[in-house]
């Protein structure tokens, strides 16, 4: 029984702190802007703790956080802030898979908040079907994080992203969006604060180019 509880993190779930039909764990609002971001894949070896940790990575690079949440939460406590894990949502996934991945993101985020980490909610979506649950548990009029990684080169993906972002604005009315990745040419509302962060890969290439030029 104990192994089952640990495998599914049943001991982390609090049925009194959920939202929506699918009982997504809800997150408290945060009003914060990190100066820099670093991928979770570099967090273990980094000596710089004045950064926010993001999970805009392939899922296999942070599945271990779901497997050992207590262990990795202790490690992440030293950083400036942490985004909620961004488990993938794809339109060709089954609905049950998408719901499970949203649930895992919310549960880990809620647990980290309970451990006094500064946690910024990550918002992600797939097609319109995902709107039924992908915004549940997220705070309104707060700071949220969104990524454009992996969608720039695909027209259909850009369309889904833009439609979902518009839906997110209507439902969450965010105070601020922390946007990680390349510019998608979306017409953001004039009164919405957008804070942009280049992807780590793009940032590394830029630094190498500056070094080559002698800047």
């Amino acid at each position: 029984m104990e192994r089952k509880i640990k495998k599914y993190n049943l001991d982390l779930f609090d049925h009194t702190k959920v939202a929506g039909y699918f009982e997504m764990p809800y997150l408290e609002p945060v009003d914060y802007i990190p100066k820099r971001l670093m991928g979770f894949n570099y967090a273990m070896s980094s000596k710089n703790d004045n950064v926010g940790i993001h999970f805009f990575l392939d899922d296999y690079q942070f599945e271990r956080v779901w497997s050992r949440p207590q262990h990795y939460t202790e490690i992440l406590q030293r950083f400036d802030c942490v985004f909620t894990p961004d488990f993938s949502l794809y339109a060709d996934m089954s609905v049950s898979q998408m719901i499970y991945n949203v649930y895992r993101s919310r549960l880990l985020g809620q647990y980290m908040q309970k451990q006094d980490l500064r946690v910024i909610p990550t918002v992600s979506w797939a097609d319109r079907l995902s709107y039924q649950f992908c915004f549940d548990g997220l705070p309104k009029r707060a700071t949220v994080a969104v990524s454009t990684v992996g969608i720039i080169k695909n027209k259909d993906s850009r369309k889904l992203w833009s439609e979902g972002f518009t839906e997110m604005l209507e439902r969450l009315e965010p105070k601020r969006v922390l946007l990680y990745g390349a510019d998608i040419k979306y017409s953001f509302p004039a009164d919405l604060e957008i804070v942009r962060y280049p992807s780590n890969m793009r940032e590394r290439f830029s630094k190498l180019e500056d070094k080559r030029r002698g800047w």
Side-chain angles (χ1 to χ4, degrees):
M1 183 63 179
E2 184 176 350
R3 287 183 60 187
K4 181 179 179 180
I5 290 174
K6 292 296 183 182
K7 181 177 180 180
Y8 296 105
N9 291 322
L10 299 180
D11 54 327
L12 305 187
F13 181 72
D14 183 347
H15 67 86
T16 68
K17 297 183 181 298
V18 297
Y21 177 81
F22 295 101
E23 297 186 330
M24 294 297 180
Y26 66 73
L27 302 174
E28 299 296 335
V30 173
D31 184 7
Y32 189 73
I33 305 175
K35 294 180 180 179
R36 291 187 57 197
L37 298 180
M38 175 189 293
F40 171 76
N41 51 331
Y42 294 109
M44 304 307 106
S45 59
S46 175
K47 296 180 180 179
N48 180 13
D49 55 9
N50 190 30
V51 295
I53 300 298
H54 73 78
F55 291 85
F56 299 128
L57 310 162
D58 291 329
D59 290 18
Y60 77 88
Q61 298 198 63
F62 58 88
E63 278 286 347
R64 50 187 162 155
V65 181
W66 176 252
S67 301
R68 301 179 65 192
Q70 292 89 347
H71 172 73
Y72 286 104
T73 295
E74 289 179 5
I75 292 174
L76 293 171
Q77 283 178 329
R78 71 183 179 90
F79 291 98
D80 186 39
C81 67
V82 179
F83 291 7
T84 54
D86 186 45
F87 293 105
S88 295
L89 298 184
Y90 298 119
D92 56 356
M93 278 181 167
S94 69
V95 176
S96 58
Q97 286 178 302
M98 289 193 286
I99 293 172
Y100 182 56
N101 277 352
V102 172
Y103 168 78
R104 293 199 293 165
S105 175
R106 300 288 191 277
L107 185 65
L108 289 175
Q110 187 183 81
Y111 172 71
M112 291 177 184
Q113 285 190 335
K114 289 179 178 178
Q115 304 307 307
D116 296 324
L117 276 71
R118 182 187 285 125
V119 179
I120 297 176
T122 297
V123 191
S124 57
W125 52 86
D127 54 13
R128 291 182 177 277
L129 188 60
S130 69
Y131 300 171
Q132 298 178 41
F133 50 83
C134 70
F135 305 115
D136 289 352
L138 296 174
K140 290 187 176 183
R141 294 173 287 280
T143 298
V144 297
V146 173
S147 170
T148 62
V149 172
I151 67 170
I152 301 299
K153 296 181 179 180
N154 186 287
K155 182 179 179 180
D156 292 336
S157 295
R158 293 198 305 273
K159 183 174 183 292
L160 288 175
W161 188 95
S162 297
E163 291 174 348
F165 193 91
T166 300
E167 187 74 17
M168 184 268 291
L169 293 180
E170 293 179 1
R171 298 203 186 199
L172 300 182
E173 303 172 8
K175 173 182 179 179
R176 177 186 300 118
V177 174
L178 309 182
L179 186 61
Y180 179 86
D183 185 7
I184 197 174
K185 307 300 182 183
Y186 180 90
S187 297
F188 297 104
D191 60 345
L192 176 64
E193 182 181 1
I194 300 291
V195 183
R196 299 178 184 273
Y197 301 88
S199 66
N200 290 130
M201 185 65 72
R202 184 178 178 184
E203 191 173 20
R204 287 200 299 274
F205 284 150
S206 178
K207 288 180 179 178
L208 288 173
E209 183 64 13
D210 290 350
K211 184 177 181 180
R212 185 184 67 80
R213 295 177 179 178
W215 294 358

